[in-house]
Amino acid sequence: MKNFKQCFLLSMLFLGLLISSCSSSGDDSLNPDPEPEPKESRKNSNVSVSSTDAPANYTTKVLLEDYTGTWCGYCPRVAHAMEEAIAQNSNIIGIGVHNDNDMGYTHVESMESKYNVGGYPTAIVNRSANWIENYPSLNPYLTKESDLGIALETSIDNGSVKGKIKIGFNKDISTSLDYVICLVEDKVIANQANYYNEDSNSPFFEKGNPIVGFEHANVLRKAATDIFGDIIPEDYTKIGNVCEADFEINLDNYAVDNCYIIAFVLEKGGKNVLNVQMVKVGSNQDFD
């Protein structure tokens, strides 16, 4: 009888997790976009070493990627949790990775496969672990000292954002590193399915299903690099060095006033973000 009760409780817990998430709207029969092919050499002619010295200290920032869709009625829950976490600490930087017809990202299926996204919503912290949707769980990432920092310079020219990323090192790093540069658009308005419309404990109680005119934050639009990262040459990741690379992204018809560049450095293979930075297009963000 005791074993039966334990099995029953475990079954109910598993069922609860299943019904509080949505399946991806993507066609699982489609092959995901291929991941970047391994390079024989860790060289990249787009990256150079600056003559300036790197700062001694950097603020640690955390990347949260929210896998979401306008069709997913459970997704407002994670969007709200991310909004609250970012309100508590501006060193948390969020990206909305959409898989829908409204603002779906081109390579979302590849990202789902890479990071084992099995249902929506799923939020991933620093491309290393699923987020459990509360602020305290981010503290171990936020309080960890960073061995590198990022500065961004951007300008708007003839419908494109042109810029430079600078990556400074205050410690020799022996592991292979990559960098990613993304364009996101904030405050994108689109209707959002809402399964919490009748839940009086939810902030989305009686907001409608769908919620008309829902504001979607930091929607991933494009990447100037491979979405899993471009190479930082291994002999550049030394204490005192500042690596630089230029980039350009077409702004298409996005609302320029709501567009930002988000850049981050991660370990080779597309996982484990080491630090992240964000700047409004047309502005600069120095090392901090």
Side-chain angles (χ1 to χ4, degrees):
M1 181 59 73
K2 182 177 180 181
N3 289 338
F4 173 79
K5 288 182 178 179
Q6 290 176 338
C7 292
F8 178 77
L9 289 172
L10 288 172
S11 299
M12 292 301 294
L13 176 61
F14 181 70
L15 179 61
L17 291 172
L18 285 177
I19 63 176
S20 63
S21 63
C22 304
S23 298
S24 168
S25 64
D27 185 349
D28 292 336
S29 66
L30 297 176
N31 291 323
D33 298 326
E35 295 178 14
E37 291 294 326
K39 306 293 193 302
E40 291 184 4
S41 171
R42 293 291 296 174
K43 303 294 182 183
N44 184 347
S45 60
N46 294 327
V47 180
S48 61
V49 176
S50 170
S51 60
T52 59
D53 293 331
N57 299 292
Y58 303 104
T59 300
T60 299
K61 301 183 180 182
V62 171
L63 178 69
L64 272 181
E65 290 175 294
D66 175 20
Y67 287 80
T68 185
T70 54
W71 48 270
C72 169
Y74 295 112
C75 284
R77 184 189 75 237
V78 169
H80 179 71
M82 284 181 62
E83 182 181 0
E84 287 196 324
I86 292 168
Q88 291 188 69
N89 193 325
S90 61
N91 291 328
I92 301 167
I93 296 175
I95 296 178
V97 185
H98 280 251
N99 186 348
D100 52 40
N101 294 325
D102 299 283
M103 57 201 90
Y105 178 61
T106 303
H107 302 295
V108 63
E109 282 86 6
S110 288
M111 296 177 73
E112 289 174 350
S113 176
K114 180 85 169 179
Y115 303 112
N116 299 316
V117 177
Y120 278 45
T122 294
I124 297 178
V125 55
N126 279 353
R127 293 195 170 180
S128 61
N130 285 7
W131 184 45
I132 59 174
E133 302 175 29
N134 65 54
Y135 175 73
S137 66
L138 298 174
N139 280 326
Y141 299 94
L142 290 163
T143 56
K144 184 178 180 180
E145 290 187 8
S146 184
D147 299 329
L148 62 88
I150 302 169
L152 293 166
E153 299 174 357
T154 71
S155 62
I156 301 171
D157 181 18
N158 196 27
S160 294
V161 54
K162 297 181 179 181
K164 181 187 295 290
I165 182 174
K166 298 180 180 180
I167 304 164
F169 298 88
N170 62 11
K171 182 180 178 181
D172 290 345
I173 297 181
S174 58
T175 56
S176 297
L177 302 180
D178 295 331
Y179 69 99
V180 177
I181 301 173
C182 298
L183 173 72
V184 301
E185 183 182 7
D186 197 27
K187 301 178 181 178
V188 180
I189 304 301
N191 294 352
Q192 172 67 52
N194 174 31
Y195 294 164
Y196 301 99
N197 188 53
E198 298 180 2
D199 182 354
S200 60
N201 295 317
S202 169
F204 301 103
F205 177 56
E206 294 185 341
K207 298 296 184 181
N209 186 16
I211 301 171
V212 176
F214 188 87
E215 188 174 279
H216 298 266
N218 287 353
V219 175
L220 177 59
R221 292 302 197 182
K222 291 183 173 183
T225 60
D226 191 292
I227 195 61
F228 300 126
D230 284 2
I231 291 168
I232 303 173
E234 290 178 352
D235 52 344
Y236 291 0
T237 60
K238 306 301 181 183
I239 185 170
N241 278 359
V242 174
C243 297
E244 296 183 348
D246 295 326
F247 65 90
E248 180 175 356
I249 308 178
N250 194 300
L251 291 168
D252 293 342
N253 295 316
Y254 306 135
V256 175
D257 287 344
N258 296 333
C259 285
Y260 295 81
I261 295 296
I262 295 177
F264 48 97
V265 175
L266 68 173
E267 293 182 356
K268 176 186 175 182
K271 298 182 179 180
N272 193 24
V273 172
L274 302 181
N275 216 341
V276 57
Q277 189 63 277
M278 179 175 179
V279 68
K280 185 178 177 65
V281 298
S283 301
N284 299 329
Q285 173 61 59
D286 201 355
F287 293 111
D288 59 359

